[in-house]
Each structure stands twice: as structure tokens, then as C-alpha cells.
Amino acid sequence: MPTPDAGRRAHLRQAATHVLFDNWTGAATVPSRALYPHQWSWDSAFIAIGLRHIAPRRAQRELETLLGAQWGDGRIPHIAFNPSVPLGAYFPSPDFWRSSTAGRNAGAPSTTQTSGIVQPPVHALAAWQVHLADPAESRRRGFLPRVYPRLAAWHRYLSTSRDLAGGSLAAVVHPWEPGLDNSPCWDEALARVEPAPRQSFRRADLDHSSAADRPTDLDYARYVRLATTYRDHAYDDARTPHAFAIEDPSFNALLIASEHALAAIARAVGADAGAHLRRAETATAALIDRLWDPAGGIFLARDLVTGEPIAGHSVSGLVPLIVPGLPQDIASALVGTAHGPRFRLGQVHLVPSYDLTAKKFDANRYWRGPSWFNTAWLIHHGLVRHGEAGAAGRLRAQFLTAAYRSGFAEYLEPYTGEGRGIRRFSWTAALALDLLHACDEGDSAR
Ligand code: 9WN
């Protein structure tokens, strides 16, 4: 698929800009007006990465608003709620999480209502890129000196309170935390969780999406139970009996890549970069030691309750391609796996979220098979990092064409490329802007 020409790119840029501006609420961007009417953590990081090309100051604001919802223990909550949105518009709503009371000991803010769980740490990566887009404006506003201590506290939280196995990797304690909510990789761990009574909650997502595309009611009942247990233990990581505790490859790869970005930020603000680089090095060694599967040529998540690797092959296992300094033999194996029968890079649309050859693969249901734009963007960067310019260029062209054709869909059916989920989805538009910028840079380098 050829890269769209300059005319089409201008059109796409305009359409993507509209999506982001329509989804801007005055201090942050919602992922979608209908389905996700609040601020989400990793969405905002991806959104800032795109926004920086069209509105660098707004991109700074996006991250600052999110960091304003940070807890005293360093965690960045996965949702910062907008108080003007009715409670019934999204479930679980603030009255479920009760952050300002249940989370008081963990330092939850008293004014902003938030969830109590987290999402992948893409933020330092985003902050550094936002700074680089307009360094003069960033310096004028003191952007980096303001965000650095908060980002450092965030990484400290993940590397200490969330290092549940003491193996130098961060654990996720809810399937919403890695962002790949209902991946088949979580099935076994989730099956151990007693579902919450079905009548104890009302899903709002099905008001906006087809039930066949979304997680099942049983999954939801288990998500609710896990979140309730965490809340009822005051969101205290040491005290909560975590029935679900997993070391996820992409969550940790993003932490490592962000730790490198934090080192660059530290250098820019005159702080010590060494500690961040050392932490990145230790975590990279742990990632390989604890999660690399040489036989499969992919990283596997590890279930900390059983202590065993999780056998399913998910796109999460390819994301460590973005880790700076990943040994070349591992990077080459990952590129081979991406092109192999399980993911068929270049032959299907983007990168399927789950192994195409597996029984549990489902081309439509959420993270159980469909291709998502944010993971494609990450794999694209991994390919560029490891000198795979041809494959990266083809993926970029596919991404841009699919983003446009699908009306900035949330995700795609990988075989047909048809859009699924919600349309005018913010990170799809934002990351399209970022890849358009990469195309323009390629043009000017020619
Ligand atoms: C729960 C907002 C979020 C993304 C996640 C995606 C989906 C929420 C949901 O939407 O999760 O956090 O209600 O399904 O799985 O990655 O951040 O776009």
C-alpha cells in the first residue's frame, strides 16, 4: 500500500485535527464524546504525542491536567473524571471508585475524582516529545521542570509499590491496567476471580457499542469484583490480596522506554539522569530474564499468582521492540514473529491484538484479535528503531489509509480492515497526525 500523496495527507491532517479539537473539553481531550467521556491516562499520552504537531501548548496542557489528578503515592489514575458529566454516562463512575475517601491514605486528590487503578506509563515519553516539538514555548512555560518531579514519582510508584514479585518489573493488578482489557492472556487469571453479582452494576458501554465487540458480562462482573476488592483495601498495594497480578511485557516495555525519556528530561532540567538510566537497564535485564520466550520468539506475560508464564501470544509480546538497547538477536526474532503466521504483518491490516492461529482469536471482540492503532504505532516505532525501514513504511501507509477510511475507528477487523468500536476516536486521530509528520519529514529528507 503506497504512502498517501501530499494532497491526501493534507486532507487527512485536517480531518484528524477536527477530531481532536471536537474532543477537547477545555483542559484535556476525551477519547470519545460518547463512549469515554472523561480523561483517560494512556490515551492522553498518545493524544499529546499527536497534538504537539498542531497545538504544542495544548499538548502540554493535556499532560499537565492528567498529572493534576496524580495521587500522593505517585500513581497516575487511569481515569480523571469530568465533574460535569452525569454519573450514568460511564461505568464505573466516581461513586464506584470513591477515590477521595477510599484512596485518602494513598494520597488521592480531594477535589478531582479519579479511578484507583493505573494504565501503561507512556507519559514521560509523551512529555519529552511534546517538549521537543516546541522547546522555546516549553521553556517559556517551565513545562519540563514542572512535570519532571511528578513523572519521577509515577515511575517510583511503579518500580516500588508495583514490583510485587521483587523482580524489578511492575505488575498490573486489573485487566484494565495494561490497556488490553480482555486479552485472552488474562482468561485463566480472571477465571479465579469470583464475579460480582450481575445486578450490582449497570454497564454504560453497551449504550454506544455492539455487545459482540465488547467484553462479556461475565468479564465485567470479574472486573468489578477486582476493583471493589482493591478499593475496599484502600488501594493499598501491599495489603490488597491481589487475585490478579501479572507482569505484562508491553506495560514494562513502555516503562523502560519512558525511563529513558525521563533521563533525557532529567538532563534538560539539570537533575540526575544516571538513576533513570540504571533503572532502565535493570528493568530491561529483568524483562528478558522473566518474560522472554526464545522458543516462541515473543515476550510472554507472567502470572504472579501461579508464578508461571502465560502461554498466549498477544501483540503485547511484540511491543518490547520499542525498548532502546534491546539485544539484536531478540529484536530480529520479534520482527520474524511479527511477519510469521501468528501476526502476518504486511498481509493483514495493522497488527492483530492476538495470535491469528489461536483458538481464542476473535476478529471482532475488543482486544481478542482486532488490530488497534496505538499498538501499530508502537510496533512502527520499534521497526524504525531496529532498522526495518521497509516494514515500518508499509505499516505507516496502512495505518494512515485505515485511519482515514474508517473515520478514525477505535480498532479494525484485521482481515477486512473494516472499522470496529467507536469512530472519531482520539488516539487514532492523534497518532495519524504523528505518522503524517513522519511522512513529511521523510519527504523533506529526500
Ligand atoms: C476501560 C479509553 C480506554 C482505553 C483502553 C480500552 C478501553 C476502557 C473501557 O478504553 O478501556 O479503561 O471502558 O473499555 O481498552 O485501552 O484506554 O479509550
Side-chain angles (χ1 to χ4, degrees), residues 116-127:
I117 57 170
V118 301
Q119 273 190 328
V122 192
H123 315 88
L125 210 59

Side-chain angles (χ1 to χ4, degrees), residues 52-423:
R52 73 193 165 124
H53 300 299
I54 51 170
R57 189 163 165 186
R58 191 175 277 194
Q60 293 175 22
R61 186 86 192 285
E62 179 82 39
L63 294 173
E64 287 163 358
T65 302
L66 181 70
L67 290 171
Q70 185 172 29
W71 292 25
D73 66 2
R75 87 184 71 195
I76 297 180
H78 103 295
I79 303 176
F81 289 104
N82 179 346
S84 61
V85 170
L87 284 184
Y90 182 78
F91 175 82
S93 42
D95 54 336
F96 171 87
W97 297 101
R98 300 179 210 148
S99 59
S100 54
T101 48
R104 191 180 299 127
N105 286 347
S110 54
T111 45
T112 311
Q113 297 302 314
T114 76
S115 69
I117 57 170
V118 301
Q119 273 190 328
V122 192
H123 315 88
L125 210 59
W128 181 239
Q129 295 195 7
V130 164
H131 163 76
L132 293 179
D134 190 346
E137 173 68 358
S138 164
R139 272 187 220 106
R140 195 187 65 73
R141 294 189 67 245
F143 174 65
L144 290 183
R146 277 189 293 120
V147 297
Y148 174 70
R150 287 183 174 264
L151 293 170
W154 167 223
H155 285 202
R156 235 181 348 262
Y157 167 74
L158 292 174
S159 319
T160 54
S161 303
R162 285 307 187 88
D163 182 2
L164 297 180
S168 300
L169 293 182
V172 290
V173 299
H174 193 290
W176 281 331
E177 292 202 319
L180 283 61
D181 306 0
N182 65 337
S183 168
C185 292
W186 319 142
D187 286 358
E188 246 180 74
L190 209 52
R192 292 192 294 258
V193 178
E194 170 74 20
R198 184 60 196 88
Q199 63 284 5
S200 65
F201 61 95
R202 184 193 165 272
R203 296 177 63 169
D205 57 325
L206 300 181
D207 298 346
H208 309 284
S209 304
S210 145
D213 292 353
R214 294 282 301 175
T216 61
D217 279 351
L218 183 57
D219 280 340
Y220 253 77
R222 290 184 161 128
Y223 299 160
V224 170
R225 170 74 65 192
L226 283 171
T228 308
T229 305
Y230 198 23
R231 179 195 69 200
D232 292 349
H233 288 80
Y235 300 109
D236 181 330
D237 291 298
R239 277 204 316 119
T240 304
H242 294 295
F244 183 98
I246 283 172
E247 288 172 348
D248 171 56
S250 73
F251 191 100
N252 282 285
L254 286 163
L255 180 54
I256 295 167
S258 271
E259 200 69 62
H260 281 276
L262 202 52
I265 297 176
R267 241 176 261 121
V269 302
D272 174 26
H276 300 299
L277 292 174
R278 280 191 295 279
R279 205 177 296 149
E281 206 177 304
T282 309
T284 305
L287 183 78
I288 296 169
D289 183 42
R290 294 175 67 77
L291 308 187
W292 175 239
D293 176 37
I298 194 162
F299 286 86
L300 298 179
R302 180 179 289 270
D303 185 333
L304 295 182
V305 174
T306 61
E308 295 297 323
I310 298 173
H313 294 183
S314 122
V315 66
S316 170
L318 300 177
V319 170
L321 255 190
I322 62 165
V323 167
L326 193 70
Q328 195 48 51
D329 57 327
I330 294 187
S332 305
L334 285 174
V335 172
T337 304
H339 285 97
R342 297 185 195 279
F343 297 97
R344 295 180 58 192
L345 181 65
Q347 298 167 56
V348 295
H349 294 266
L350 307 183
V351 189
S353 48
Y354 197 65
D355 182 352
L356 292 163
T357 67
K359 274 210 190 80
K360 288 193 166 178
F361 169 82
D362 180 334
N364 296 302
R365 201 181 284 277
Y366 228 41
W367 292 97
R368 302 181 76 84
S371 299
W372 288 70
F373 288 89
N374 62 335
T375 48
W377 181 86
L378 289 167
I379 304 288
H380 169 267
H381 280 282
L383 291 168
V384 170
R385 177 174 292 286
H386 293 287
E388 299 285 337
R394 286 188 291 277
L395 183 56
R396 187 166 65 220
Q398 255 194 3
F399 181 118
L400 293 173
T401 306
Y404 188 65
R405 274 203 197 134
S406 68
F408 304 101
E410 193 179 2
Y411 47 95
L412 301 178
E413 207 276 10
Y415 289 116
T416 64
E418 271 171 41
R420 291 282 183 272
I422 214 81
R423 304 305 143 101

Side-chain angles (χ1 to χ4, degrees), residues 14-24 29 407-408 424-426 429:
Q14 201 182 29
T17 302
H18 273 140
V19 171
L20 291 185
F21 283 15
D22 287 351
N23 288 346
W24 174 255
T29 311
F408 304 101
R424 299 177 68 69
F425 187 60
S426 292

